[in-house]
Amino acid sequence: MFKFIKSLWWFISKNWYHYLSIVLVGILFPILNLVPGWIVKILIDAVSEEEMKITMAFLFYKIIIPYLCTMIAIYIVTTTKRVLQNRLKVKLYYALQVRYMENILVQDATFFEKFQSGDLLTRALGDVKSVNFSGGNRLINMFLEFMTVVVTLVAMILIHPILAILCFVPLSFIFVTNLLLKRKVKRNWQLVREKSSLMGNVILESITNVRTIRAFSKEEENYQKNLKYSQDTYDIEKANLKINVIFQPMFQSIVAVATIIAYGLGAYYCYKEYINVSELAQFILYLNLFQSPLTNIGNMINNFYQSLISADRINEIYDAKSSVIDKKNENLEEIKTIEFKDFSFRYFGDSEDVLKNIDLRIEEGQTLGIVGKTGSGKSTLVRQLVRQLPIEEGTLFINGEEIEDYNQNNIRSHIGYVPQEHMLFSRSVMKNVLLGDSHASLEEVNEAVMMADFEKDIAELVDGFDTVVGEYGVTLSGGQKQRLAIARAFLKNADVLVLDDSLSAVDGKTEANIIHSLNKYRKNRTNIIVAHRLSAVMHAHMIIVLDQGKIVERGTHEELMALKGWYYEQFLAQAMEEGEEHA
Ligand code: ADP
């Protein structure tokens, strides 16, 4: 319980008055609930008096009016509590989701390797919901049910302490049983949530890769995988249910034992005149008030343990710290120079560097071409600029200052980055292009589209600019997706443009058109082009060749051709391939 409160303290401490008001209103309920028992006592006392005391006035003022007032008060109290509690629940749900999203949005690439999308989604939906229910409702209700038990017990002790304590002895077994079952319930729920996450991953992967699954006829295999996780989850849930089935009647049986003691011993005490009939009736009525809170506490405790596990799972996301940090959070006005100094990089958990001792300076207005074999580290190198990966201190500089000194969002705002996987949103073509600059005019959009050689495609699309591209751009061809992403980056008109293998799906002529636009319209800006086809970089001011994370050749096209190394051989091979294609 305290652990749960601690994990939600960031919310509870800010909304303590909301919690307190619910508790203050809620606590009136068990107190008001004692009134009917007290009225019964008055009535029995009056009936058993030798001289008949029951008059209309007595019934009206001592029985009917107090009873009606109590019922109205109970109605007002429960309704107010429910309204306050619902408001708190909505507020908490919103806070949990916002915090969750905020934490995810600042994470670096390593985080997304650790937590897969399906897992994150399962936590955002299932676990947040479970924590929300406990933090918004269950926590307070458990406290209030507990208070009902305490208030009722005090009232019973006031009637007859020994009888009250003897009845309470069996009730204490409830807490012992609880402690015994706690570990089992928690462990089971942890397994359920873990399996749900795995299932979430498989489902999400199946949906996103449905075409590949069909193409390779892997439907059955995928189905079996899903079935296994569902079966596992079902089995654990069944075990949980079993615990619940044993748990529930146990509470009721314990209350039944207490009731038997009250009846038996109460009757005996009554006979011995330690207690009178009206007090015994009142006592038994109060004992009945135990039944519902105890059953509710039993139910709630079981679910509460589950929320504890869910809280741990959410906290894993809340506590995850990005290893990409802003040391000084300085504002970056513009990007002039970029410099890698003896820069090395290794992916988290890997045993070898994928970039080794890179020394590279890119001047303002230069175009840099990066080429090399697949897996040589080209993408890893450009991803450093958009701050997707953690870096070693004193190895990467912008305008002569360490990149970590600047605010990372600020840096990204100066870079037009087209990654290998073009992230398109299920919106119109226009909206996807406008992501580059939401305030751009139609003229500017048209210009960017023209630069990306995407004009002809717009004319062919059913609704032109208004065509919805579908999820991940499924309704567009590979080349169209690439050009749309390039148009978006052109529209951003940033200091630095980074094209990471962004021309792989376009034909030679389209590539030439885009490179032509780039040379013409971004003449005095910095451009970094990662390419497989050397024709895309041959006009660059400088070209580097990467091999196993090292720069093995550098220079202009002419210099590299003269070097007769990898670049030269690759250039001839590609020229020959093209010649054969045209022949
Ligand atoms: P290129 O762009 O030249 O094809 P990459 O930069 O994508 O090369 O990859 C360089 C090396 O880093 C490869 O060996 C690749 O397997 C590895 N690599 C790339 N991304 C990751 C990652 N997220 N985690 C671990 N290793 C990675």
Side-chain angles (χ1 to χ4, degrees):
M1 171 93 78
F2 292 114
K3 199 173 154 218
F4 184 82
I5 294 176
K6 200 174 146 204
S7 73
L8 269 191
W9 193 243
W10 56 273
F11 179 81
I12 297 175
S13 58
K14 263 198 230 153
N15 295 281
W16 61 269
Y17 53 90
H18 205 141
Y19 279 91
L20 187 67
S21 52
I22 299 172
V23 168
L24 288 179
V25 173
I27 204 101
L28 293 175
F29 180 76
I31 297 171
L32 288 168
N33 233 359
L34 294 176
V35 178
W38 179 65
I39 293 174
V40 167
K41 180 186 177 309
I42 294 176
L43 193 63
I44 295 177
D45 278 344
V47 172
S48 33
E49 288 279 324
E50 278 171 19
E51 194 186 318
M52 190 61 179
K53 262 174 84 180
I54 301 182
T55 59
M56 276 311 282
F58 170 84
L59 275 180
F60 196 71
Y61 291 115
K62 292 257 168 115
I63 309 290
I64 298 173
I65 293 283
Y67 188 79
L68 270 177
C69 290
T70 311
M71 289 303 123
I72 291 169
I74 286 181
Y75 174 77
I76 294 172
V77 161
T78 39
T79 311
T80 314
K81 181 183 154 253
R82 208 165 286 158
V83 170
L84 287 172
Q85 217 158 11
N86 280 343
R87 272 197 206 148
L88 179 73
K89 217 172 109 187
V90 172
K91 206 170 174 185
L92 174 62
Y93 189 71
Y94 180 73
L96 284 166
Q97 289 290 14
V98 167
R99 194 171 153 105
Y100 193 83
M101 271 321 289
E102 277 177 356
N103 273 281
I104 285 186
L105 289 176
V106 296
Q107 296 304 327
D108 57 22
T110 320
F111 172 88
F112 293 101
E113 274 159 33
K114 189 171 167 200
F115 301 99
Q116 293 181 17
S117 318
D119 180 16
L120 290 174
L121 204 64
T122 312
R123 289 174 200 241
L125 300 175
D127 293 301
V128 165
K129 201 167 150 200
S130 167
V131 170
N132 178 48
F133 207 84
S134 279
N137 271 10
R138 222 169 265 138
L139 193 63
I140 301 176
N141 285 349
M142 266 169 76
F143 175 75
L144 290 175
E145 297 287 21
F146 178 72
M147 286 316 290
T148 307
V149 173
V150 172
V151 169
T152 316
L153 187 68
V154 169
M156 285 161 73
I157 288 175
L158 289 176
I159 297 171
H160 199 282
I162 300 176
L163 193 56
I165 288 164
L166 285 176
C167 288
F168 193 72
V169 169
L171 298 176
S172 55
F173 281 105
I174 290 173
F175 297 101
V176 179
T177 338
N178 246 324
L179 288 178
L180 292 177
L181 290 172
K182 180 179 159 186
R183 279 183 68 182
K184 182 84 185 143
V185 174
K186 274 176 82 177
R187 177 77 203 120
N188 276 355
W189 185 245
Q190 190 164 16
L191 286 172
V192 167
R193 298 311 301 156
E194 278 167 14
K195 293 283 173 198
S196 299
S197 278
L198 289 172
M199 213 154 71
N201 282 339
V202 176
I203 292 173
L204 207 67
E205 233 174 47
S206 313
I207 296 170
T208 27
N209 300 322
V210 67
R211 291 176 182 198
T212 319
I213 292 170
R214 280 199 196 132
F216 288 89
S217 309
K218 293 283 178 197
E219 291 99 329
E220 182 59 24
E221 202 177 293
N222 220 57
Y223 169 73
Q224 290 301 339
K225 210 164 153 188
N226 245 326
L227 195 67
K228 182 172 173 348
Y229 288 138
S230 311
Q231 185 64 44
D232 287 351
T233 315
Y234 173 72
D235 288 343
I236 307 163
E237 290 267 30
K238 218 164 68 178
N240 257 354
L241 207 68
K242 241 189 227 165
I243 294 177
N244 242 338
V245 167
I246 302 169
F247 220 34
Q248 286 311 318
M250 205 183 289
F251 281 119
Q252 277 147 16
S253 320
I254 288 172
V255 176
V257 172
T259 312
I260 290 169
I261 294 176
Y263 284 168
L265 214 61
Y268 175 71
Y269 283 171
C270 211
Y271 169 71
K272 286 276 185 189
E273 292 188 353
Y274 298 153
I275 183 171
N276 63 36
V277 180
S278 64
E279 283 170 339
L280 181 62
Q282 191 186 4
F283 188 93
I284 289 172
L285 278 175
Y286 287 171
L287 187 69
N288 280 338
L289 293 182
F290 266 150
Q291 177 115 11
S292 148
L294 283 178
T295 320
N296 290 345
I297 288 177
N299 262 334
M300 284 192 255
I301 283 183
N302 205 339
N303 293 329
F304 193 77
Y305 291 150
Q306 301 183 350
S307 304
L308 262 178
I309 297 294
S310 289
D312 282 348
R313 283 164 56 82
I314 296 179
N315 282 332
E316 258 189 276
I317 308 298
Y318 287 167
D319 297 341
K321 292 271 172 287
S322 172
S323 36
V324 176
I325 47 159
D326 297 337
K327 276 201 303 208
K328 293 191 190 156
N329 225 3
E330 276 176 18
N331 195 34
L332 177 66
E333 292 291 331
E334 61 174 323
I335 298 182
K336 289 184 176 161
T337 59
I338 298 167
E339 192 168 12
F340 290 85
K341 278 189 189 166
D342 197 18
F343 185 94
S344 297
F345 176 79
R346 176 180 299 194
Y347 279 104
F348 176 77
D350 273 7
S351 54
E352 218 188 304
D353 288 349
V354 291
L355 290 174
K356 295 165 193 151
N357 314 101
I358 303 284
D359 281 306
L360 177 68
R361 187 178 163 89
I362 308 160
E363 301 292 346
E364 188 182 9
Q366 261 194 348
T367 294
L368 169 77
I370 307 178
V371 295
K373 289 181 204 149
T374 304
S376 56
K378 305 182 291 294
S379 295
T380 309
L381 186 70
V382 293
R383 284 175 72 195
Q384 309 294 341
L385 296 178
V386 276
R387 307 257 26 225
Q388 288 188 355
L389 303 162
I391 59 164
E392 217 177 281
E393 215 173 290
T395 51
L396 179 52
F397 300 82
I398 286 185
N399 306 344
E401 273 210 55
E402 276 200 52
I403 196 166
E404 285 186 308
D405 289 350
Y406 296 113
N407 172 288
Q408 48 187 295
N409 286 330
N410 209 221
I411 298 173
R412 286 186 203 113
S413 71
H414 290 287
I415 300 176
Y417 172 52
V418 185
Q420 269 177 17
E421 306 91 30
H422 321 282
M423 273 321 296
L424 299 186
F425 292 86
S426 175
R427 302 175 194 168
S428 66
V429 170
M430 176 60 98
K431 284 191 177 148
N432 267 292
V433 177
L434 281 173
L435 280 176
D437 176 4
S438 51
H439 302 298
S441 64
L442 186 61
E443 207 181 346
E444 287 165 324
V445 172
N446 278 328
E447 195 183 27
V449 165
M450 185 266 295
M451 284 164 74
D453 207 17
F454 192 46
E455 247 175 342
K456 54 182 188 295
D457 302 88
I458 301 270
E460 278 171 20
L461 292 172
V462 201
D463 293 320
F465 267 127
D466 294 327
T467 311
V468 175
V469 305
E471 223 174 4
Y472 306 111
V474 282
T475 55
L476 299 181
S477 73
Q480 285 174 331
K481 276 189 252 183
Q482 281 196 334
R483 274 170 285 141
L484 199 164
I486 295 172
R488 179 198 286 168
F490 274 142
L491 185 68
K492 191 169 177 184
N493 196 18
D495 296 342
V496 180
L497 176 72
V498 178
L499 301 182
D500 185 0
D501 211 7
S502 314
L503 299 166
S504 57
V506 301
D507 57 60
K509 188 166 177 303
T510 311
E511 178 197 282
N513 289 342
I514 296 172
I515 296 295
H516 175 74
S517 306
L518 195 113
N519 291 335
K520 187 172 166 195
Y521 296 100
R522 289 193 52 90
K523 200 166 182 205
N524 299 315
R525 324 293 298 269
T526 308
N527 303 303
I528 300 174
I529 308 168
V530 175
H532 175 67
R533 237 184 275 143
L534 301 187
S535 49
V537 297
M538 60 188 283
H539 301 292
H541 296 101
M542 180 169 47
I543 304 162
I544 57 168
V545 178
L546 282 178
D547 187 20
Q548 294 187 8
K550 280 189 186 155
I551 299 180
V552 287
E553 293 171 33
R554 74 169 81 204
T556 58
H557 170 71
E558 289 72 26
E559 286 164 350
L560 293 185
M561 288 302 280
L563 210 64
K564 294 206 166 16
W566 182 89
Y567 184 90
Y568 169 79
E569 280 171 17
Q570 196 66 13
F571 191 82
L572 290 189
Q574 286 183 6
M576 208 148 40
E577 258 175 43
E578 250 176 58
E580 278 168 14
E581 267 173 32
H582 290 304

